[in-house]
Amino acid sequence: MAQLRFKDLDVWKVSMDLVVKVYEITREFPKSEQFGLASQLQRSAVSIPSNIAEGSGRGTRIDFAHFLDQARGSLLEVITQLEISRSLNYGDSDKIKAIQLEYEILGMRINALIKTIKDSKRIERSDLED
């Protein structure tokens, strides 16, 4: 697989923008959560573009798909942690709900990229069998 330029990937760009939004939201959390939920939410958000970048630099489609799976797992953590934040009335509920929706859309885009990578591998394998 040719080396992908992760900075050109839309899923990476969107996930980077969402990291900034998570940091903005967590600034509004109580000081008592600075090293708790806020920190965990920030780490989960940062993990998404980090895994996309790392996976794109790997040598195979299988490796890239694996790191995209890791990014998707972190994305689901973020959605869950945002829901917990809303339940605890941390931050602006409307902003949190809006960013949750953005993460859900990003999740669909990551899923589509994973499917494309896995389908292209199947096509290559079947081409070799002919």
Side-chain angles (χ1 to χ4, degrees):
M1 174 173 100
Q3 181 95 1
L4 292 177
R5 294 180 43 89
F6 66 89
K7 289 184 178 183
D8 294 333
L9 295 171
D10 286 336
V11 293
W12 182 83
K13 292 175 189 176
V14 170
S15 65
M16 289 293 289
D17 290 341
L18 289 173
V19 167
V20 172
K21 290 181 181 183
V22 163
Y23 271 81
E24 289 170 352
I25 286 171
T26 56
R27 280 190 200 124
E28 299 175 15
F29 283 18
K31 292 294 178 196
S32 63
E33 283 300 326
Q34 186 177 19
F35 299 107
L37 184 58
S39 176
Q40 181 61 40
L41 183 49
Q42 292 165 354
R43 286 194 313 270
S44 297
V46 166
S47 179
I48 298 166
S50 299
N51 274 296
I52 293 168
E54 184 174 357
S56 73
R58 297 294 173 138
T60 68
R61 285 180 174 86
I62 292 171
D63 287 338
F64 188 28
H66 170 74
F67 279 89
L68 289 172
D69 281 335
Q70 295 296 317
R72 181 175 48 195
S74 294
L75 182 143
L76 295 171
E77 285 182 39
V78 169
I79 292 170
T80 300
Q81 292 157 3
L82 287 168
E83 187 62 32
I84 293 167
S85 301
R86 280 185 43 201
S87 297
L88 294 170
N89 295 315
Y90 293 168
D92 182 309
S93 183
D94 291 335
K95 286 181 186 176
I96 292 172
K97 191 171 185 175
I99 197 173
Q100 280 179 297
L101 179 59
E102 290 183 69
Y103 270 106
E104 289 172 12
I105 293 167
L106 176 60
M108 289 184 264
R109 295 176 83 176
I110 290 173
N111 286 339
L113 182 54
I114 291 169
K115 183 177 180 344
T116 298
I117 290 169
K118 289 181 177 180
D119 287 349
S120 68
K121 181 165 178 24
R122 286 190 206 108
I123 291 168
E124 286 179 7
R125 186 175 293 156
S126 66
D127 287 345
L128 294 173
E129 293 171 357
D130 288 341

